[in-house]
Amino acid sequence: MITKAFACYSLNDEERSHSSSGGIYPLIAREVIHNGGVVYAACYDDNLDVCHRTIENEHEIVDSQGSKYVQSSLSTTFRSIISRLRNYESVLFVGTPCQCAGLVSLVNETKTPRTHLYVIDFVCHGVPGRVAWNGYKKSKSLEGNNIASINMRDKSTGWTYGNYAWKEIMDNGSTTVTPRRQNPYMKGMLANLYLRPSCYSCSFKGVNRCTDITLGDYWGVWDHLPEMDDNKGTSLVLVHTEQGMRLFEGITDSIKIADANIERAIKGNSCIAESTKYNEKREEFFERLNKGENFITIVDGLTKTSLISKVKKMMINSLNTRGGIS
Ligand SMILES: Cc1cc2nc3c(=O)[nH]c(=O)nc-3n(C[C@H](O)[C@H](O)[C@H](O)COP(=O)(O)OP(=O)(O)OC[C@H]3O[C@@H](n4cnc5c(N)ncnc54)[C@H](O)[C@@H]3O)c2cc1C
Ligand code: SF4
């Protein structure tokens, strides 16, 4: 099947507010669970580390919503999926394109029946490993702020033009909502300072994928399809297979939807087709972090831009369609 592209968002505003884009993932997850299947998706654990978990009940879906900019630990996820597929149980796996490719190749190599497996990846900017994330958490605790819960894609400040925020709730109950470019962790991630090495030459780009569906933020929808932008998050959905289309059709009563033009969508979201640019200061970042220097101090120093580069960046931004990494 030729990949089909859609702009869409969930009609459930409350649920969409917990998701990074249009809230399409929770609708699909619910559809799979309603039909007797299970979902494997990324959640925070008690230490705010990210790991894939099995989701068997609707009320657990919320724990897996939202982008987490940390590599998710898969642990025994693939083994558990293979065993369910051999028992003809339906399974939905959601992960980075490289995690999905790993699962699909294992399923093929082990000659496991794929008919009951749905695989969803997302447009991927890249993920930082756990070392950077632990460095950030440590810096916060040295300031006397232990993070109790986090939303790296808070939409209380909006979504259009990438205007989302970073929200932290501390263990003393205080809450901070910071524009994404002002939070040190996000600042370093946006500068590509500490993504995993493979993310700078990623083999899983492009429109042709081994997955059933690809989800992304529809950056630029405000120009392409303004009626599909209400500042609460719009998804770009790429459906690659008949199996993916059947799954997607199961949720169309719950979404607002419009056909999208893939070429235009790619223009506003380079991460669909291209790897993220390597930051020459990456080595220095890890050297200093490994020597025990404070994460926030290092990021502040290495992401400082001169006045000339700031002006240059502002001019480029005003010429291009604005967006945010997701
Ligand atoms: C690290 C990362 C980078 C991304 N980069 C881009 C980008 O450059 N451009 C773009 O358009 N979209 C990007 N996305 C995807 C986008 O932000 C949304 O996640 C996607 O559009 C789905 O949104 P939703 O509203 O339908 O559901 P959401 O509720 O936001 O669904 C999020 C889904 O992603 C899974 N997930 C979250 N974090 C991780 C993780 N660390 N590892 C594996 N799975 C995870 C969750 O388990 C859930 O299934 C990225 C997402 C992540 C996690
Ligand atoms: S950018 Fe590529 S290598 Fe990096 S996490 Fe995403 S899919 Fe994997």
Side-chain angles (χ1 to χ4, degrees):
M1 173 184 145
I2 297 170
T3 297
K4 291 203 166 84
F6 304 94
C8 47
Y9 60 75
S10 167
L11 297 173
N12 181 338
D13 274 355
E14 211 286 315
E15 186 170 78
R16 180 162 52 132
S17 72
H18 300 290
S19 281
S20 300
S21 315
I24 300 305
Y25 158 69
L27 293 175
I28 293 180
R30 187 171 308 106
E31 177 73 7
V32 169
I33 292 172
H34 268 181
N35 291 324
V38 296
V39 176
Y40 289 80
C43 304
Y44 291 109
D45 68 11
D46 293 342
N47 295 320
L48 292 182
D49 290 326
V50 180
C51 52
H52 266 68
R53 238 178 61 191
T54 320
I55 297 160
E56 296 184 72
N57 298 303
E58 256 184 61
H59 68 264
E60 294 169 320
I61 294 173
V62 67
D63 298 340
S64 58
Q65 282 179 250
S67 297
K68 297 140 192 107
Y69 297 124
V70 189
Q71 183 178 12
S72 170
S73 153
L74 288 169
S75 167
T76 56
T77 299
F78 286 0
R79 207 184 309 154
S80 162
I81 292 177
I82 296 282
S83 137
R84 282 183 197 271
L85 292 176
R86 287 189 172 150
N87 286 330
Y88 300 99
E89 290 177 58
S90 285
V91 171
L92 166 65
F93 175 81
V94 186
T96 59
C98 53
Q99 288 175 331
C100 292
L103 174 61
V104 169
S105 101
L106 185 66
V107 166
N108 291 340
E109 270 168 30
T110 54
K111 299 195 169 36
T112 306
R114 200 188 151 169
T115 30
H116 291 78
L117 175 66
Y118 300 100
V119 185
I120 297 187
D121 65 351
F122 41 79
V123 179
C124 187
H125 176 90
V127 282
R130 283 162 218 126
V131 172
W133 179 230
N134 288 337
Y136 176 72
K137 287 189 290 181
K138 191 173 160 198
S139 277
K140 293 298 285 187
S141 67
L142 289 172
E143 285 172 358
N145 293 310
N146 289 312
I147 311 168
S149 83
I150 192 139
N151 182 353
M152 299 186 181
R153 287 291 302 262
D154 177 61
K155 294 179 185 166
S156 60
T157 54
W159 171 90
T160 306
Y161 302 124
N163 277 339
Y164 58 85
W166 175 280
K167 179 175 177 180
E168 289 174 340
I169 302 177
M170 303 302 167
D171 59 1
N172 64 9
S174 66
T175 301
T176 52
V177 176
T178 317
R180 67 180 170 123
R181 288 195 183 277
Q182 286 170 29
N183 169 269
Y185 186 80
M186 206 61 193
K187 208 158 54 173
M189 158 129 181
L190 289 165
N192 305 329
L193 201 50
Y194 36 72
L195 300 178
R196 290 170 53 227
S198 51
C199 300
Y200 302 103
S201 54
C202 175
S203 312
F204 307 97
K205 297 288 174 185
V207 172
N208 294 325
R209 305 208 170 198
C210 64
T211 56
D212 297 298
I213 296 178
T214 302
L215 299 176
D217 288 271
Y218 196 146
W219 300 132
V221 70
W222 45 88
D223 286 332
H224 306 172
L225 296 161
E227 70 285 4
M228 290 301 299
D229 176 29
D230 62 358
N231 202 18
K232 293 179 188 166
T234 305
S235 291
L236 173 69
V237 177
L238 304 178
V239 183
H240 307 292
T241 63
E242 303 289 350
Q243 169 133 322
M245 188 52 89
R246 279 193 292 279
L247 184 61
F248 186 55
E249 279 166 0
I251 66 154
T252 44
D253 285 349
S254 313
I255 60 178
K256 182 170 175 184
I257 181 166
D259 286 333
N261 175 306
I262 298 188
E263 283 74 36
R264 283 190 93 188
I266 292 177
K267 269 194 187 157
N269 197 335
S270 61
C271 291
I272 298 174
E274 288 164 26
S275 293
T276 304
K277 201 167 165 283
Y278 184 75
N279 186 325
E280 300 296 335
K281 295 175 184 161
R282 185 179 186 279
E283 239 169 83
E284 183 184 342
F285 167 81
F286 280 108
E287 257 172 37
R288 289 168 61 181
L289 190 69
N290 290 337
K291 279 188 189 145
E293 212 179 309
N294 186 299
F295 175 97
I296 295 177
T297 316
I298 309 172
V299 172
D300 277 348
L302 295 183
T303 56
K304 231 180 221 135
T305 39
S306 67
L307 189 62
I308 295 175
S309 339
K310 268 188 196 162
V311 173
K312 239 187 188 167
K313 219 175 188 175
M314 274 164 63
M315 283 166 68
I316 291 169
N317 277 347
S318 67
L319 290 173
N320 290 338
T321 304
R322 284 188 291 161
I325 76 112
S326 348

